[in-house]
Amino acid sequence: MNLTGRPVDVHAPDGTRLHTRVFGAPDAPPIVLVHGVLCRIEFWQQQIEELAEHFRVIAFDLRGHGASAAPRVRHYRLDDLAGDLDAVLDATLSDGETAVLAGHSLGGIAILAWARRFPAHVAARAAAVALINTTPGDVLRHVDFLPFPERYEPIRWWLARLGARMTRMPTPRRIPFRHRLVARLAVGPGAPAAIAHRVAELATTTSARGRRGYGVMLVELTETIDVAGLSVPALVIASTHDRITPPGRSVDMAGALPHLVDLVELAGGHSLPLEQPAYISAALAALRRATDSLTESPALPVSVEENRM
């Protein structure tokens, strides 16, 4: 499939232009895909190709990513992400129409921030949500990578904040061991090398403003977002070897959701839409069909037990 789709003119509340595309039949049930940090619409390529046959798939580049505009660094806050998502929903959904919202990593945080900022919009715009490789906040303290002893935690935070600010520097295409680092941090053991290469390729296209803005935001995101306002059915999908958003964070989040459909743990790292693409596509399709038929919970793919660890 050519991932051009149909363009939609969308601007966030602060005027930031958001690159938005719609795939599939115009009258099909909608599924909205929200990518993670350092990614863009193409991260969801396999889901778009599979889901657009039966659904209307709406995808957009978060501010500072892909073809969306990159505002100044101070405009990368949770409320900005919430406003981006709300603007996309307002521009792509008709009156009274609800969508399944699927967020990966930062995309899941954006959905949680949206539900907190616009509680009255949740039931009006969302039929259900899927939170994939995501966390309710307090990001740095739970990252499972180069852990520091607790007494040195302030040093770790200082180094992380310094590194986040340095990400505004241009990213060269050739960085020694770049793919090895990405493979260790963003994908699970045994994943094909092509997946790590794909993640690294996506990261290099993120704007310098976006890299710095999100880096600082995530390092300083020490709060835990209250998920009680996410009142629609929610599916949580975690992975066994996720170093960025460890599965324990998904367990905590799932326990606080008012209408949990299921908590699924799959084999893989932080990039399940790339590592387990068929499962993710099937799970989103099942969630969409369940909301259309008003069933209590979706019939998840039968392969789920094979993917649990």
Side-chain angles (χ1 to χ4, degrees):
M1 169 187 277
N2 185 345
L3 289 186
T4 54
R6 300 184 298 280
V8 179
D9 186 31
V10 181
H11 288 81
D14 65 358
T16 301
R17 179 184 53 79
L18 302 172
H19 176 231
T20 305
R21 299 278 172 173
V22 180
F23 309 85
D27 58 347
I31 297 175
V32 177
L33 305 176
V34 192
H35 66 74
V37 70
L38 304 184
C39 291
R40 61 180 189 263
I41 289 175
E42 287 79 2
F43 176 80
W44 297 105
Q45 178 172 352
Q46 295 180 80
Q47 283 71 47
I48 292 171
E49 289 177 347
E50 294 176 7
L51 293 172
E53 294 184 17
H54 304 286
F55 306 99
R56 187 167 93 252
V57 181
I58 300 161
F60 69 103
D61 292 331
L62 285 166
R63 60 180 55 216
H65 290 91
S68 286
R72 295 187 180 277
V73 172
R74 65 178 180 273
H75 292 290
Y76 297 86
R77 305 165 301 172
L78 291 182
D79 278 354
D80 294 316
L81 298 183
D84 288 356
L85 176 56
D86 200 62
V88 169
L89 296 178
D90 189 56
T92 58
L93 301 182
S94 59
D95 290 343
E97 187 176 38
T98 59
V100 165
L101 312 181
H104 171 259
S105 189
L106 178 67
I109 294 175
I111 292 173
L112 297 178
W114 170 76
R116 182 176 69 177
R117 182 179 176 186
F118 302 102
H121 296 189
V122 175
R125 288 302 194 189
V129 302
L131 303 170
I132 306 163
N133 292 130
T134 196
T135 173
D138 197 9
V139 177
L140 180 61
R141 190 162 66 90
H142 293 91
V143 170
D144 181 19
F145 187 69
L146 299 179
F148 272 53
E150 187 174 350
R151 65 182 181 276
Y152 296 132
E153 193 64 26
I155 298 176
R156 181 191 191 198
W157 184 89
W158 181 84
L159 289 172
R161 198 168 192 272
L162 176 63
R165 292 189 176 279
M166 290 178 64
T167 56
R168 63 181 172 178
M169 300 170 59
T171 301
R173 289 283 179 176
R174 296 184 179 276
I175 302 177
F177 309 112
R178 175 165 61 104
H179 294 106
R180 188 176 301 176
L181 176 62
V182 169
R184 177 169 173 77
L185 188 60
V187 302
I195 294 178
H197 280 259
R198 182 61 172 152
V199 175
E201 177 191 16
L202 290 169
T204 60
T205 65
T206 303
S207 70
R209 279 183 178 177
R211 291 196 304 271
R212 184 187 178 192
Y214 287 114
V216 172
M217 185 196 81
L218 292 172
V219 167
E220 296 184 347
L221 183 56
T222 57
E223 67 171 311
T224 295
I225 303 172
D226 184 2
V227 301
L230 199 57
S231 56
V232 297
L235 171 64
V236 178
I237 305 178
S239 51
T240 53
H241 295 87
D242 190 339
R243 292 180 174 274
I244 298 176
T245 56
R249 296 301 285 153
S250 291
V251 173
D252 294 341
M253 182 170 57
L257 286 165
H259 192 171
L260 179 68
V261 170
D262 198 3
L263 168 62
V264 179
E265 187 173 303
L266 306 179
H270 186 65
S271 304
L272 282 178
L274 296 175
E275 298 174 75
Q276 298 267 15
Y279 182 90
I280 298 300
S281 297
L284 296 182
L287 191 59
R288 176 71 262 189
R289 292 191 177 103
T291 61
D292 292 339
S293 62
L294 301 180
T295 56
E296 190 65 25
S297 61
L300 294 177
V302 294
S303 60
V304 62
E305 294 300 331
E306 299 171 10
N307 288 315
R308 290 186 192 268
M309 294 293 287

